Amino acid sequence: MSQHIERVEQGVSLSDVSIQNPFWDDRLTNVLPGMLRHAEKQCRQTGRFQAIWAAGDPKRPLPEESHCFWTSDVAKWLEAVAYYLSKHEDATLRPAMDRVVADLVAAQEPDGYLNPYFTRCRPDERWTDLLGAHELYTAGHLMEAAVALHDSLGDDRLLGAMERLADHMDRRFGPRKDQVKGYPGHQEVELALVSLYRATGQRRYLKLAKYFVDERGRKRRGQGHYFVAESKRLGKSAAPLECAQAHVPVRKQTDAVGHAVRALYLYSGMAEVATETHDTELFAACRALWESITKRRMYVTGGVGSTARDERFTEDYDLPDESAYAETCAAIAMVFFARRMLEVDPRSEYADVMELALYNNVLAGMSLDGMRFFYQNRLASDPKRLELHPPKHGFGHDRQEWFGCACCPPNLARMLASLGNYAATRTEDGSLLRVNLYLGGSIRWQVSSGSAVVEMKTRYPWKGDVRLRVRVRQPSRFTLALRIPGWCRGATLRIDGRAIRMAPVMKDGYALLDRTWKGGETVRLTLPMDVQRIKAHPNVESAAGRVVIRRGPIVYCFEEADCGVPLDGICLAADHKPTARWEKDLLGGCVTVSVNARRAVAGDAAPLYAPGPIRQKSLAVRAKAVPYALWNNRSRGAMRVWMRSM
């Protein structure tokens, strides 16, 4: 990586990516619009929309219940709808979007402030509780929605309102004596301000994002930590500085701590600011935090955040399975962070984590029909045990239609709707296209001689065969960089049937095919998907003596529907002889994995305790595993990812 930090690559425009793949087709064509309509219905029924239009007209009644962060849920829905409508017309979603945008613009106050809750419910308390009131967080999501509307639909109605809001914030917050020296309690606005800067060219928005990043965790003379002073003024208990990543300045932070979603939104914003300001020290902090997460604090599913208490990171290797929190939004934020790191430091490790989180923790957050959602993503769950020992914090065994704090459902919708943004990155001059996710379909970008297209056919992630065809109008020299996933052993490449030696073309986890492309060439990438037994670091106590089954990017779990209970009565054999099988009628069509195991015999008279080895009677069985992302879509029952092994 160069010492000069810059955005060496950028995402291919969503409009230039078409996804066609049996895995994604139904999710994007049928499930996603259903999710968006479901979210629209929930926002309407719960009063989220009513709270916005009531703010624009004092004569209109408020909903019976209202929360300070409700508008952020609407903003994420708006962002997702904008992405979706850029690809598909929808007679229901477009008018709903138009009404909400008009109501938001009408709700803006003359000085540029825009937060419907505070405008109607607490007008005298604007910006008085930065730690807990989510005003800056909500503003950030509104900005991201505005940029999505601008970029995807050419609709600038909300963008103008967001410029006025950002200008209002720029007058209020900053280093001058007449400004408030505060910063967000729930981060998000940092990365949103960078997006607003890129959309408008107004550098003051980038400067404000940098201010929020730099000010976080500082002790000012006569004030100390801003959140400590604020909490004292409001009569609240001591501010949880570490939970808000405000315990020390961000450049001195080396371990991922505190609320996981807030942390990853912050780290994404830090990476964006570092990129735009060429700040090597800030990017080094991002890299240290990345390593803290991926080497010591991330679940095998790509989930992050070990405990429901404060929804936070805890300590190195503390990754319990039954009480895992692994919030859906945190996994989505992990995808955000990975992509931003990749654009500066193009190594496959970032795309590997992006893929891991996406295909496992993120997709586990939604049911197959997109109508029910997990907030928390345990790696082991038993409904009977949860009823006997209800958790003090967190959620139950099953997905829910909606939540009081409904951040996850619309976040999932915007993740799916913007999926094409994560498929590939390119250099500004088009001399390199880097394929990061094998989603199928086509990717278009500009090269020196005009436009180029890579068409991709694959059944990934079920099969590792990827066929690409290059289309150019005239011969063009550029590099096609294909990710070789970290889980893959023995990848092969052919161009027009001719084998390519892998070692000479490999760099940072990508195969770099640098040549003059004439058009019509066919590239065949084969990624063997062997079934693997994954073990954890010895310090991960909950995984001691256990293994995970993984095939390709997919992490598997064992469910009561296939294996009965107790799942801990199953012990996977050392010689597990796995077989992977496509089952078209199971869970929407998926590859299952069956392995040799032994099951303890029910009613065995083995003692509860004994001074020596306790031997149980057991029977040889074939135990079937299904993708973790698809669990809890059949009959209600237990599930486990980490299985006992011989």
Side-chain angles (χ1 to χ4, degrees):
M1 183 180 66
S2 170
Q3 290 301 308
H4 179 68
I5 297 300
E6 60 181 344
R7 192 184 188 194
V8 297
E9 295 176 15
Q10 58 194 43
V12 177
S13 172
L14 186 63
S15 62
D16 289 326
V17 178
S18 173
I19 299 173
Q20 291 180 316
N21 176 331
F23 183 88
W24 290 108
D25 288 347
D26 184 61
R27 287 174 170 85
L28 299 181
T29 304
N30 299 315
V31 175
L32 176 57
M35 287 176 67
L36 293 170
R37 295 186 195 103
H38 175 76
E40 187 270 339
K41 175 184 175 182
Q42 292 290 339
C43 285
R44 181 165 29 84
Q45 291 183 344
T46 58
R48 283 164 168 81
F49 290 161
Q50 182 183 353
I52 294 170
W53 60 253
D57 184 351
K59 296 180 181 179
R60 290 174 169 173
L62 283 167
E64 293 183 5
E65 181 184 13
S66 187
H67 294 291
C68 59
F69 50 78
W70 264 10
T71 304
S72 66
D73 301 333
V74 176
K76 281 179 277 191
W77 173 80
L78 268 180
E79 184 182 349
V81 170
Y83 295 139
Y84 180 75
L85 290 178
S86 71
K87 299 280 189 179
H88 315 272
E89 192 49 66
D90 191 289
T92 301
L93 292 172
R94 185 172 288 275
M97 177 195 77
D98 287 339
R99 284 193 300 272
V100 172
V101 170
D103 287 342
L104 281 167
V105 173
Q108 189 163 40
E109 297 189 37
D111 64 354
Y113 182 85
L114 178 52
N115 186 299
Y117 173 81
F118 279 90
T119 294
R120 278 297 299 270
C121 300
R122 293 160 62 184
D124 297 328
E125 299 178 43
R126 301 186 333 180
W127 306 126
T128 58
D129 184 4
L130 297 186
L131 179 60
H134 287 43
E135 285 167 280
L136 289 168
Y137 167 78
T138 300
H141 277 302
L142 285 169
M143 290 174 188
E144 290 206 272
V147 172
L149 286 159
H150 167 77
D151 290 347
S152 300
L153 301 176
D155 184 338
D156 288 349
R157 290 174 295 166
L158 192 57
L159 188 69
M162 288 304 100
E163 289 188 81
R164 292 190 291 275
L165 174 58
D167 291 342
H168 166 85
M169 290 161 46
D170 189 46
R171 292 191 296 270
R172 186 170 188 89
F173 300 103
R176 298 195 313 264
K177 288 184 178 180
D178 63 335
Q179 290 179 303
V180 175
K181 310 301 185 293
Y183 42 87
H186 194 312
Q187 302 89 319
E188 213 285 335
V189 76
E190 300 89 342
L191 63 95
L193 282 164
V194 177
S195 295
L196 190 63
Y197 154 66
R198 290 176 180 153
T200 65
Q202 297 297 326
R203 196 164 182 84
R204 62 183 177 275
Y205 303 148
L206 173 61
K207 290 178 65 177
L208 183 57
K210 185 179 187 306
Y211 164 77
F212 283 140
V213 167
D214 289 343
E215 188 66 21
R216 183 167 224 91
R218 287 188 61 184
K219 282 186 176 181
R220 285 190 171 267
R221 184 177 300 175
Q223 173 182 286
H225 282 288
Y226 179 84
F227 287 152
V228 172
E230 178 185 78
S231 296
K232 184 177 180 180
R233 173 173 49 80
L234 295 174
K236 293 185 176 183
S237 57
L241 296 179
E242 187 176 272
C243 190
Q245 298 80 38
H247 52 303
V248 294
V250 297
R251 286 171 174 77
K252 295 182 179 180
Q253 296 187 27
T254 56
D255 289 323
V257 298
H259 189 281
V261 178
R262 300 182 192 209
L264 284 158
Y265 283 167
L266 169 64
Y267 306 157
S268 297
M270 288 166 58
E272 292 278 43
V273 169
T275 300
E276 293 292 345
T277 61
H278 314 297
D279 190 329
T280 56
E281 183 186 25
L282 185 58
F283 191 80
C286 292
R287 179 64 196 179
L289 292 162
W290 172 268
E291 292 191 356
S292 170
I293 297 169
T294 59
K295 293 185 177 181
R296 300 182 294 277
R297 299 189 176 188
M298 183 175 72
Y299 281 98
V300 71
T301 55
V304 290
S306 303
T307 177
R309 185 173 182 177
D310 296 328
E311 304 176 322
R312 62 178 296 159
F313 290 103
T314 53
E315 58 188 16
D316 289 349
Y317 307 112
D318 179 34
L319 296 165
D321 52 4
E322 286 194 70
S323 61
Y325 198 62
E327 183 182 337
T328 298
C329 280
I332 293 170
M334 193 71 201
V335 173
F336 296 164
F337 185 33
R339 195 192 78 174
R340 285 163 173 83
M341 294 295 285
L342 178 64
E343 290 177 351
V344 178
D345 182 19
R347 288 188 272 173
S348 64
E349 65 174 280
Y350 301 116
D352 283 350
V353 170
M354 190 162 66
E355 177 182 77
L356 176 70
L358 174 65
Y359 280 102
N360 297 287
N361 199 128
V362 171
L363 287 182
M366 55 183 279
S367 59
L368 276 171
D369 63 3
M371 298 296 168
R372 301 182 70 85
F373 308 94
F374 278 139
Y375 201 111
Q376 176 178 6
N377 292 278
R378 295 181 174 86
L379 275 72
S381 187
D382 186 326
K384 294 180 181 177
R385 190 175 299 173
L386 283 170
E387 289 170 6
L388 291 171
H389 306 282
K392 185 176 180 180
H393 305 280
F395 295 82
H397 176 81
D398 301 300
R399 294 181 181 89
Q400 298 176 212
E401 288 188 356
W402 200 248
F403 305 92
C405 176
C407 51
C408 296
N411 221 0
L412 279 163
R414 73 173 180 146
M415 179 78 255
L416 289 186
S418 63
L419 183 61
N421 282 335
Y422 302 87
T425 49
R426 61 172 179 84
T427 54
E428 186 174 2
D429 63 3
S431 62
L432 180 144
L433 178 77
R434 189 179 303 276
V435 180
N436 300 310
L437 297 177
Y438 296 109
L439 304 176
S442 65
I443 302 168
R444 181 185 302 274
W445 80 108
Q446 292 296 311
V447 296
S448 59
S449 59
S451 66
V453 177
V454 168
E455 299 170 347
M456 185 188 311
K457 291 185 177 181
T458 182
R459 291 184 61 84
Y460 199 93
W462 306 130
K463 290 187 177 181
D465 188 46
V466 183
R467 296 173 185 261
L468 306 102
R469 184 176 292 274
V470 177
R471 304 286 190 188
V472 290
R473 293 182 177 178
Q474 54 184 330
S476 303
R477 177 76 180 268
F478 59 83
T479 299
L480 182 61
L482 303 178
R483 181 174 64 94
I484 308 302
W487 51 259
C488 182
R489 301 292 179 267
T492 62
L493 263 172
R494 290 181 177 272
I495 299 180
D496 290 336
R498 182 174 61 86
I500 302 297
R501 291 181 57 213
M502 296 297 290
V505 301
M506 289 300 300
K507 182 180 179 182
D508 295 329
Y510 288 84
L512 305 183
L513 306 180
D514 180 8
R515 57 185 282 156
T516 297
W517 300 87
K518 298 177 181 179
E521 293 96 335
T522 298
V523 180
R524 181 173 180 178
L525 172 64
T526 302
L527 304 170
M529 288 187 171
D530 300 324
V531 176
Q532 300 171 341
R533 289 162 57 102
I534 306 300
K535 295 183 179 180
H537 188 283
N539 290 355
V540 181
E541 292 183 10
S542 63
R546 297 177 181 270
V547 297
V548 166
I549 298 297
R550 184 180 70 189
R551 180 179 179 273
I554 303 297
V555 172
Y556 282 77
C557 70
F558 293 78
E559 280 197 277
E560 181 178 339
D562 304 302
C563 302
V565 288
L567 291 174
D568 257 345
I570 297 173
C571 188
L572 306 191
D575 180 18
H576 64 300
K577 293 184 178 179
T579 55
R581 178 188 174 200
W582 171 252
E583 297 194 38
K584 67 181 181 67
D585 296 322
L586 180 65
L587 296 168
C590 67
V591 171
T592 61
V593 173
S594 295
V595 295
N596 283 344
R598 297 199 69 87
R599 172 182 285 285
V601 175
D604 181 42
L608 181 60
Y609 306 105
I614 297 176
R615 304 193 182 281
Q616 282 184 289
K617 294 180 181 179
S618 62
L619 299 174
V621 296
R622 290 288 283 176
K624 184 164 83 172
V626 298
Y628 170 74
L630 303 182
W631 89 274
N632 194 241
N633 277 288
R634 296 178 287 174
S635 57
R636 195 167 190 256
M639 176 278 298
R640 178 169 287 280
V641 172
W642 288 99
M643 298 293 289
R644 293 171 56 209
S645 68
M646 297 178 186

